[in-house]
Amino acid sequence: MALTRSLACGDGRVPSARAERMARAVFGALGGVVEIGAVRAAGTWLLPDVSVGAFLEPRQGDVRRLLEGVRVVARFSGEVMAIADELGYFADHDVPAASLLLWSEGITGVPEPPERLEEPELVRRMCRIGADLQLTRLLQALVTAALAAGTEPGEGAAGIVEILRVACGLAEPGRAGVTSADPGRAGVTPADVHRIWRVAHLPAILHPASDAPEWGKAGYRAYDAELERLL
């Protein structure tokens, strides 16, 4: 996304339409994190056993910290924050195989017949891939929103790290930060997300041919350096 200085309002907030697009990017990634976490928490890899409501009920404190962190870092207004409720990811709902296919970007492919997407091994694989993808997209969305709002890296990076810590815990409940010889069972950490983000998103932004303005490139570099220092 190319950024321009005209993004920010005089009060440091981003104009409503642009802020809403940025918020949807943040909350969409968090929606993937929540659904994947609910599937993993069920423990059976059988989608009929998944309850997003049961998953979130004991984690309301984490959700509140997560959303408050987003509000502060991105300087979203109350109206923009309400998009989280509008999207419905933090309310009880079903998690179909099609959602996991979406969060994992179809990397597993669509088997024949498509109903095989509900097989436990495919569900497990889509969750592993989807967690990496959505946590990385969450970081990109947060840094972009923070830069657009004028949140300095020294202030915003610490908030983003805390958001990532909570999000990693939701994406892989009970395993965040755990190491294992099996990479499919190892917990994903904020440091992992940062490294994936740096190679997946920054090259296109910082390439000499990128249309991102120099101040935007400098901002991404500053956030990368501060995140590395903190993590």
Side-chain angles (χ1 to χ4, degrees), residues 3-29:
L3 299 173
T4 67
R5 291 228 180 244
S6 63
L7 280 173
C9 297
D11 61 359
R13 285 181 175 160
V14 178
S16 178
R18 292 189 179 96
E20 287 178 8
R21 287 196 294 272
M22 292 179 179
R24 287 179 185 278
V26 171
F27 298 137

Side-chain angles (χ1 to χ4, degrees), residues 5-171:
R5 291 228 180 244
S6 63
L7 280 173
C9 297
D11 61 359
R13 285 181 175 160
V14 178
S16 178
R18 292 189 179 96
E20 287 178 8
R21 287 196 294 272
M22 292 179 179
R24 287 179 185 278
V26 171
F27 298 137
L30 284 174
V33 165
V34 165
E35 291 193 350
I36 288 166
V39 173
R40 283 175 153 161
T44 64
W45 305 105
L46 298 173
L47 296 181
D49 294 342
V50 176
S51 170
V52 174
F55 172 69
L56 290 176
E57 175 59 31
R59 297 173 173 85
Q60 288 302 306
D62 287 339
V63 172
R64 283 192 292 271
R65 279 197 301 134
L66 196 68
L67 295 178
E68 177 62 13
V70 169
R71 185 192 67 77
V72 171
V73 165
R75 300 183 185 178
F76 287 153
S77 67
E79 291 79 7
V80 172
M81 289 299 296
I83 292 172
D85 289 331
E86 173 191 321
L87 293 174
Y89 291 124
F90 297 99
D92 192 26
H93 62 278
D94 293 333
V95 181
S99 286
L100 298 180
L101 187 67
L102 173 69
W103 301 132
S104 60
E105 287 292 327
I107 288 174
T108 59
V110 179
E112 188 60 44
E115 289 74 19
R116 284 191 54 219
L117 281 173
E118 296 190 11
E119 292 179 358
E121 186 52 41
L122 280 175
V123 168
R124 187 194 309 255
R125 188 158 186 256
M126 287 189 291
C127 284
R128 285 200 302 260
I129 296 168
D132 288 345
L133 274 167
Q134 298 311 316
L135 287 167
T136 304
R137 287 187 171 176
L138 173 62
L139 178 51
Q140 172 65 9
L142 288 169
V143 173
T144 298
L147 284 172
T151 305
E152 295 295 327
E155 172 190 357
I160 288 174
V161 166
E162 181 58 24
I163 292 168
L164 288 179
R165 285 186 178 131
V166 177
C168 286
L170 291 175

